[in-house]
Amino acid sequence: MKLRVRLIEARNLPPTDPNGLSDPYVKLQLGKYRGKSKVVKKCLNPLWDEEFSFKVDDLREELTICVMDEDKYFNDDFVGQIKVSMSAVLDAENKTLGPTWYPLQPKNVKKSKYRDCGEIHLKICLSQNSTPDDLYSSSPVRRSANLSTEPSSSSISKSKHMESPKAEGENSSSPSITNRIFHFLNKDQAQAISVKEPVPSPTPSIEVDSRERKDDNDASFEDLMKMLERRDKGDVMPSNLPGGVLLDQAYLATPAELNAFLFSAESPFMMSLAEVQGTAELKIGSWRFQEDENFLKRHVTYIKAPTKLIKSVRATEEQTFLKADGNSFAILSSVFTPDVPYGSCFRTEILYCIMPSGEQQSSRLVISWRVNFVQSTILKGVIEGGAKQGMSESFAQFASLLSKNFKSVDYKDLRKGKEELLAGLTVERESDLRLAVRFLGNFTVLSTVLGVIYVLVHVLLANPSVIHGLEFFSLDLPDSIGEIIVSGAIVLLAERVLKMIGRFLQARKQKGSDHGVKAQGDGWVLTVALIEGSNLATVNPDEFSNPYVVFTCNGKTRKSSVKFQTAEPHWNEIFEFDATDDPPSTMDVNVFSFDGPYSEAISLGHAEINFLKSNLLDLADLWVPLQGKVAKANLSKLHIRIFLENTRGAEVPKDYITRMEKEVGKKIHLRSPQANSAFQKLFGLPPEEFLINDFTCHLKRKMPLQGRLFLSRRIIGFHANLFGHKTKFFFLWEDVEDIQVVSPSLASVGSPSLMFVLRKGRGTDARHGAKSQDSDGRLKFHFQSFVSFHVASRTIMALWKAKSSLVAEQKIQISEQDWEPKINQANAFLATPGTSENQMEEVFSSSYSVPVHKMIELFGGGPIERDVMSNVGCEEYSASPWCSMDGSNSEVSQREVRFKCDKKILNYGGEVTCIQRRYPLVDRNGSVVEEAMTISGVSLGNYFLLHLKYVFENPPSRPHACNVEVSMGISWLKNTKHQKQISAKIFSTVSGYLKEIFRILEKEFVE
């Protein structure tokens, strides 16, 4: 009798590590049989989805399941356990328990730190089926092969070994001492097996069973692919394995054709490859679905040809389709070679990814690998080195043979197709009539129109009613409750239709976009083609959204046109960003729904394009899944094409390093192509990224870790290899908010260290390298023990300042281009004496027990002003120094202030620029600050200009107090019928804004 245990998941596990997380795994035991699951790193709700099989010798035994927390340096921590008796399983319906959540129990309730140890999700069943293998061992079978998208994941389809029970009886007695000595002395000869005399594998569960060689499934390879396509859940393609990329090449063939040629049973490719590589006894199993799995698997066995390192050995290869949606394919191959030295300690895993290349009738094949160690060994580095050499030789032959069947395509040839791809995009200009039909063609409008027509016809046909009740001439009141209800319904419908007509008229003004605006300058030019959207979310259940897309890169934005009342919009619009000296690192994509000029822009989803983690070839044609609760629920995505090219040629690295040498004051050597290639391969960077310098240092965490710090123009990367345990991460220069020099201390071994402080929410992929995280969510990285701290710090500071100044210059340039007309308007407004003085109204007035010279620090440009404005919601706040006005009294000064509005100030955000003019009161008993403010980034923001007047006066009766009065007026630059509605909204918003400013200011002085 066999007991099958399906270990699904656990939840609410207590944190046992100092970081507030755990590294849980599960140990199972039934009598003398044992099993162990994989380890899930840093998780309190782990998902295993594995199945274990045990031979039941005695129905009085109990199944013990213990959840443990892995610890690298100390004993593993106990989390919780459960015990299930075989009698309970036997008495259950169909001899099956579950799937059921079982509460985990501590070993000792009194000594346990946590009363609630979490829950574990299991399915347990008894079956009468048993195979001859069950008489000797019980091996757990992994029931899923989900590939992690993180390169640091522990395993993809990791085999789990169970301890075999001790044999009983004379035939299975322990070997004698003589036999043990003989086996030890002849271990090397037993591990090297020649081709002429192959020795069977000692692990029966790994060998391909002869019954699997029978083709029980008559379905063709094409039918199997269609079945996988129907079962596909829309998962993203798995990332490359951390061992490295063996092949990355584009071919003139569709992904389906290339997939069939490589993995179809009818394809002669594997036989031809075996002849080229000298492989013998090749046996290819048939593709079949495993029970209760959505993965297609097959087994391949062969004898590998001898190499310089090892003799010929037998290998078993398990191939699994992880993804097949008809357009992209991912196949994981796990190779087991038990006859090589230490062959039972590891598996060699190879990942084949076949995807579109961006061109029609072409595909891209990426093959990556790694060595997955199922048991620890001190020869890990030796095994990885030997495997890498063998894999490189084998896949060089693989690529050569494949290129004889399919023509390979150079990436440069594919990029030449940019003009051809963009030339085929034509923007469909929607007429006002079609827009009106789509916007107003709904049940509400039609029913209202029919109702109004029906009432008008009734009025024409009906006779004039007799005046009675409280009616008089020209006043006709409803005569019944029914007439009141009908009249009210008609009025409500008419009001709603009028609002929809107003939104339609406003929508006609929003049809314009940045499509067709050509890039200016020479350097890195970014071109984005927005094709279409799919399954975009709806804001209201009664109608579709009005989506538009905003692209943001290097502080510049490009906005698409608004597509009304659709969840499947088609744009076909092209946007170009002005050239920059450095290639961009990221681009933000935000999708909003337009709902009128007075409503907040509702987000339908967002995404980030990372140019450092994406190949330019992949960006030529891709579907971007949108993030956000609403977007994920609807599986929303955008179809875009991105092209990034440099118009300056290939001398950029030399020019950039020459410029950096002047900043650093030290010669910087241009790295060789081999060094740059190794740097790009180490961090998975695109070809345009080059290495500037690298330094040996220690990463300071709980324990210092020695490694190398790599610097390029866009990233800071760290890599360390401690006895085979690799640590690597990188973050962007533009994510760095501050770099501080920490003084020498005993903890830093008497040497100064550098602390990198990242911006809030940035650098999450490098979180494992951070020493701490502050209360604002900013990660902090510490690097110390540089060989030459002076050279390293000067180089790092120069690169950071160069990047920061570049970003600031871009923002200033953009701001000057956008705000120059508005600044001129504000200056002209303040230059006219008494402008709008009669229309100004008091919006704030209060008295404070703070001197005037203290209150006026709100406009002093110091830390108090920055802190107050930051707390009130003014982001990226900047103010120029006060300057005396030319030709005026020296007591009159002026400055410019700019900031972005958080949603605390304006529901829809926006950017503000203002001119402030300061002068003393006539009686010298206080000061006056006048402010002309313009708002951009909001609907109708260019229709008006705000005038605020702050009066700070010292009352005679209270020498150490201050009276504050603020008045505001609105100067309309353009006429609009919505002036009253906009004015009321502005006055209420500014009033609350001023109250919050002076509340925080008073609090600052009190503290």
Side-chain angles (χ1 to χ4, degrees):
M1 184 173 291
K2 182 188 294 184
L3 177 71
R4 293 185 179 275
V5 181
R6 184 181 179 189
L7 173 62
I8 304 173
E9 59 183 324
R11 64 187 181 189
N12 302 328
L13 298 181
T16 55
D17 292 341
N19 59 3
L21 299 172
S22 296
D23 303 326
Y25 68 92
V26 177
K27 295 169 63 175
L28 304 91
Q29 182 173 0
L30 178 65
K32 54 192 176 185
Y33 301 100
R34 298 178 181 177
K36 180 181 176 182
S37 74
K38 70 173 183 178
V39 180
V40 181
K41 296 290 186 180
K42 298 180 181 179
C43 185
L44 298 179
N45 299 287
L47 174 66
W48 289 287
D49 199 9
E50 301 177 35
E51 186 172 297
F52 299 83
S53 177
F54 301 91
K55 182 173 177 285
V56 181
D57 295 329
D58 190 351
L59 290 176
R60 293 173 296 179
E61 294 176 338
E62 284 186 332
L63 172 66
T64 303
I65 300 176
C66 298
V67 180
M68 308 292 292
D69 171 57
E70 185 185 51
D71 197 318
K72 291 184 179 180
Y73 307 106
F74 304 99
N75 293 332
D76 293 349
D77 298 324
F78 178 84
V79 178
Q81 69 177 2
I82 65 165
K83 294 183 179 181
V84 181
S85 64
M86 293 299 98
S87 58
V89 183
L90 189 63
D91 296 338
E93 184 178 358
N94 296 328
K95 299 180 182 178
T96 302
L97 293 177
T100 306
W101 286 96
Y102 296 89
L104 295 171
Q105 304 296 331
K107 280 185 178 179
N108 191 323
V109 179
K110 296 182 180 179
K111 296 183 180 180
S112 177
K113 187 187 301 184
Y114 303 97
R115 293 185 178 180
D116 185 8
C117 299
E119 296 177 296
I120 190 167
H121 199 193
L122 303 170
K123 180 180 179 181
I124 307 173
C125 63
L126 275 170
S127 63
Q128 298 291 339
N129 300 327
S130 61
T131 63
D133 293 341
D134 296 331
L135 301 176
Y136 302 100
S137 66
S138 297
S139 299
V141 182
R142 180 79 184 273
R143 304 299 295 188
S144 75
N146 293 328
L147 183 61
S148 173
T149 57
E150 298 180 3
S152 62
S153 115
S154 61
S155 179
I156 293 179
S157 59
K158 191 174 182 180
S159 301
K160 308 292 184 292
H161 290 273
M162 305 180 68
E163 298 179 9
S164 300
K166 295 181 180 180
E168 297 178 357
E170 295 180 358
N171 297 333
S172 58
S173 59
S174 301
S176 63
I177 298 177
T178 306
N179 290 337
R180 292 187 178 184
I181 296 174
F182 177 82
H183 179 72
F184 177 81
L185 294 176
N186 293 274
K187 180 174 65 173
D188 294 337
Q189 286 79 1
Q191 289 175 340
I193 304 172
S194 64
V195 179
K196 297 181 180 179
E197 297 180 0
V199 178
S201 171
T203 310
S205 60
I206 300 298
E207 291 183 353
V208 181
D209 192 359
S210 61
R211 290 173 296 179
E212 290 186 1
R213 299 192 183 103
K214 297 179 181 180
D215 192 4
D216 296 332
N217 193 352
D218 297 332
S220 64
F221 185 76
E222 291 75 12
D223 295 336
L224 293 173
M225 292 298 102
K226 292 179 180 178
M227 294 172 63
L228 278 178
E229 183 177 354
R230 290 193 297 268
R231 300 183 183 188
D232 185 72
K233 299 179 181 179
D235 298 333
V236 297
M237 287 289 288
S239 59
N240 295 334
L241 299 183
V245 176
L246 299 168
L247 179 64
D248 187 354
Q249 183 62 53
Y251 297 93
L252 285 179
T254 63
E257 292 173 349
L258 188 58
N259 173 60
F261 181 76
L262 293 177
F263 297 103
S264 173
E266 295 80 12
S267 174
F269 178 74
M270 291 198 68
M271 298 296 295
S272 303
L273 183 63
E275 294 178 2
V276 172
Q277 295 180 344
T279 302
E281 298 185 18
L282 176 64
K283 296 180 181 179
I284 304 174
S286 59
W287 290 104
R288 62 182 66 250
F289 285 99
Q290 301 298 317
E291 183 182 359
D292 298 333
E293 288 189 5
N294 292 329
F295 301 103
L296 194 64
K297 293 185 179 182
R298 76 173 179 183
H299 290 86
V300 180
T301 59
Y302 48 86
I303 297 178
K304 298 183 65 175
T307 64
K308 297 178 181 179
L309 298 177
I310 58 174
K311 297 181 179 180
S312 56
V313 293
R314 182 175 295 277
T316 300
E317 185 172 342
E318 183 186 71
Q319 297 176 350
T320 306
F321 269 93
L322 301 180
K323 180 177 178 63
D325 60 2
N327 200 33
S328 301
F329 304 89
I331 302 93
L332 177 69
S333 176
S334 180
V335 184
F336 178 58
T337 52
D339 300 334
V340 301
Y342 298 92
S344 61
C345 298
F346 66 91
R347 307 285 188 275
T348 304
E349 296 178 347
I350 307 168
L351 179 64
Y352 301 82
C353 292
I354 306 173
M355 65 202 81
S357 67
E359 283 283 317
Q360 294 182 353
Q361 303 298 322
S362 62
S363 57
R364 179 186 174 202
L365 174 63
V366 180
I367 304 176
S368 57
W369 75 286
R370 74 167 174 186
V371 178
N372 180 18
F373 288 90
V374 296
Q375 296 180 16
S376 60
T377 172
I378 60 175
L379 298 179
K380 184 176 180 180
V382 176
I383 294 173
E384 286 183 334
K388 181 178 181 179
Q389 180 179 348
M391 299 290 286
S392 301
E393 295 174 356
S394 298
F395 278 91
Q397 299 170 336
F398 177 96
S400 176
L401 181 61
L402 186 59
S403 61
K404 295 179 181 178
N405 294 274
F406 294 102
K407 182 181 178 181
S408 58
V409 183
D410 191 0
Y411 287 165
K412 297 180 180 179
D413 297 333
L414 292 176
R415 290 171 186 161
K416 292 178 182 178
K418 169 190 171 183
E419 300 298 332
E420 299 177 2
L421 287 173
L422 298 182
L425 300 179
T426 57
V427 181
E428 298 180 3
R429 293 297 180 184
E430 194 170 25
S431 64
D432 292 341
L433 179 60
R434 290 188 60 186
L435 180 62
V437 170
R438 292 182 58 188
F439 209 85
L440 304 176
N442 51 56
F443 177 77
T444 302
V445 177
L446 293 177
S447 61
T448 303
V449 172
L450 292 177
V452 171
I453 293 174
Y454 184 84
V455 171
L456 292 176
V457 173
H458 169 73
V459 171
L460 294 175
L461 296 179
N463 294 324
S465 59
V466 180
I467 296 176
H468 54 270
L470 298 177
E471 295 178 344
F472 53 86
F473 180 72
S474 73
L475 178 62
D476 190 6
L477 298 177
D479 298 333
S480 64
I481 299 299
E483 290 183 2
I484 294 176
I485 294 174
V486 172
S487 301
I490 293 175
V491 170
L492 292 176
L493 287 173
E495 181 187 9
R496 186 172 181 183
V497 170
L498 289 176
K499 288 183 178 180
M500 295 177 68
I501 293 174
R503 289 170 54 195
F504 162 72
L505 295 176
Q506 182 65 29
R508 294 179 67 249
K509 301 179 182 179
Q510 300 291 331
K511 289 199 297 182
S513 70
D514 295 323
H515 167 68
V517 178
K518 295 297 182 181
Q520 298 180 358
D522 192 19
W524 289 93
V525 177
L526 175 63
T527 304
V528 182
L530 175 61
I531 311 299
E532 59 184 326
S534 176
N535 299 326
L536 297 187
T538 57
V539 179
N540 299 319
D542 299 335
E543 57 184 13
F544 291 109
S545 301
N546 308 317
Y548 67 95
V549 184
V550 178
F551 299 95
T552 305
C553 184
N554 287 336
K556 303 178 183 179
T557 60
R558 294 291 184 268
K559 187 177 73 171
S560 74
S561 60
V562 181
K563 297 299 179 181
F564 297 94
Q565 299 299 299
T566 178
E568 306 286 337
H570 291 265
W571 282 282
N572 288 343
E573 297 179 357
I574 302 172
F575 311 95
E576 291 188 1
F577 290 81
D578 292 342
T580 57
D581 293 334
D582 292 341
S585 302
T586 59
M587 180 178 69
D588 294 327
V589 182
N590 292 278
V591 184
F592 298 100
S593 176
F594 178 80
D595 196 26
Y598 316 113
S599 301
E600 179 183 353
I602 302 173
S603 176
L604 301 180
H606 60 89
E608 183 184 74
I609 305 298
N610 194 319
F611 295 99
L612 289 164
K613 296 182 180 179
S614 304
N615 193 297
L616 292 181
L617 188 61
D618 299 336
L619 299 177
D621 190 3
L622 77 159
W623 282 91
V624 181
L626 298 179
Q627 303 298 317
K629 293 182 179 179
V630 188
K632 287 184 176 180
N634 291 271
L635 300 178
S636 304
K637 53 186 178 179
L638 287 180
H639 186 194
I640 59 178
R641 292 175 178 173
I642 302 175
F643 302 92
L644 182 63
E645 55 186 355
N646 182 23
T647 60
R648 291 181 177 173
E651 293 298 322
V652 175
K654 187 176 181 181
D655 297 341
Y656 190 90
I657 288 179
T658 302
R659 191 165 72 247
M660 285 297 101
E661 286 178 345
K662 299 178 181 178
E663 299 288 339
V664 177
K666 181 178 174 59
K667 179 70 175 177
I668 301 177
H669 298 282
L670 183 65
R671 300 305 176 98
S672 65
Q674 292 78 10
N676 281 323
S677 177
F679 167 66
Q680 295 161 7
K681 184 177 179 181
L682 179 63
F683 293 101
L685 302 174
E688 61 269 15
E689 194 69 11
F690 56 88
L691 179 63
I692 296 177
N693 212 335
D694 61 312
F695 304 95
T696 301
C697 64
H698 282 79
L699 173 66
K700 186 177 180 182
R701 295 185 296 183
K702 293 181 180 179
M703 298 287 291
L705 178 64
Q706 183 177 0
R708 295 193 71 82
L709 189 68
F710 297 86
L711 307 177
S712 72
R713 59 179 172 181
R714 287 190 288 181
I715 74 159
I716 309 101
F718 179 82
H719 177 263
N721 189 348
L722 181 63
F723 301 113
H725 181 73
K726 297 179 181 179
T727 301
K728 68 175 179 179
F729 59 86
F730 71 86
F731 48 85
L732 305 179
W733 281 110
E734 59 193 47
D735 292 342
V736 179
E737 183 177 284
D738 191 18
I739 300 179
Q740 302 175 8
V741 178
V742 182
S743 302
S745 63
L746 184 62
S748 61
V749 200
S751 66
S753 59
L754 289 175
M755 180 176 68
F756 290 76
V757 182
L758 303 192
R759 302 183 189 277
K760 181 180 179 181
R762 307 301 296 179
T764 54
D765 293 342
R767 183 187 297 271
H768 59 280
K771 184 178 185 296
S772 61
Q773 183 176 7
D774 61 12
S775 58
D776 295 332
R778 301 181 302 177
L779 297 175
K780 296 183 179 181
F781 297 80
H782 290 249
F783 299 97
Q784 63 184 33
S785 302
F786 290 92
V787 175
S788 175
F789 179 81
H790 178 70
V791 175
S793 62
R794 288 195 63 178
T795 305
I796 291 171
M797 288 296 186
L799 288 171
W800 178 53
K801 289 178 180 178
K803 193 68 177 179
S804 302
S805 62
L806 178 63
V807 174
E809 288 175 3
Q810 291 173 349
K811 291 181 179 179
I812 292 172
Q813 181 182 5
I814 296 165
S815 180
E816 288 178 351
Q817 293 173 355
D818 295 342
W819 292 101
E820 186 174 358
K822 294 184 178 288
I823 291 174
N824 294 335
Q825 291 175 354
N827 277 319
F829 181 83
L830 290 178
T832 304
T835 303
S836 73
E837 192 75 31
N838 298 329
Q839 292 81 20
M840 296 187 71
E841 298 180 12
E842 183 179 296
V843 292
F844 179 80
S845 176
S846 183
S847 179
Y848 299 95
S849 299
V850 180
V852 173
H853 70 277
K854 288 288 186 180
M855 294 296 293
I856 203 68
E857 288 187 22
L858 177 62
F859 300 96
I864 291 181
E865 178 183 2
R866 289 194 298 269
D867 292 344
V868 171
M869 303 311 286
S870 176
N871 291 331
V872 84
C874 298
E875 299 177 348
E876 300 182 16
Y877 187 86
S878 62
S880 64
W882 289 100
C883 299
S884 298
M885 298 182 60
D886 296 334
S888 301
N889 193 324
S890 60
E891 293 182 344
V892 181
S893 55
Q894 182 173 302
R895 71 170 184 171
E896 294 182 13
V897 176
R898 299 175 185 177
F899 59 87
K900 289 184 178 180
C901 296
D902 190 7
K903 291 190 176 182
K904 298 177 183 177
I905 306 174
L906 292 175
N907 291 334
Y908 13 76
E911 299 180 2
V912 173
T913 189
C914 52
I915 302 296
Q916 294 177 350
R917 187 167 295 174
R918 184 176 63 184
Y919 55 88
L921 289 173
V922 178
D923 56 0
R924 307 286 178 175
N925 204 25
S927 297
V928 177
V929 176
E930 290 192 57
E931 182 177 48
M933 180 185 299
T934 58
I935 304 175
S936 180
V938 298
S939 299
L940 303 181
N942 58 340
Y943 277 52
F944 57 88
L945 187 145
L946 303 183
H947 180 206
L948 282 84
K949 185 175 182 180
Y950 302 81
V951 179
F952 300 89
E953 185 177 9
N954 185 10
S957 59
R958 300 173 61 191
H960 297 288
C962 178
N963 293 335
V964 180
E965 293 182 2
V966 184
S967 304
M968 189 185 74
I970 302 177
S971 175
W972 290 96
L973 308 176
K974 297 180 183 180
N975 292 327
T976 174
K977 61 182 179 180
H978 305 293
Q979 287 186 7
K980 291 184 179 180
Q981 185 176 358
I982 295 175
S983 299
K985 180 67 175 177
I986 291 174
F987 271 92
S988 63
T989 302
V990 173
S991 178
Y993 168 65
L994 293 171
K995 289 179 181 177
E996 184 67 12
I997 285 179
F998 287 101
R999 184 191 67 81
I1000 297 176
L1001 181 63
E1002 183 183 21
K1003 183 180 178 181
E1004 290 281 341
F1005 287 122
V1006 169
E1007 292 179 352

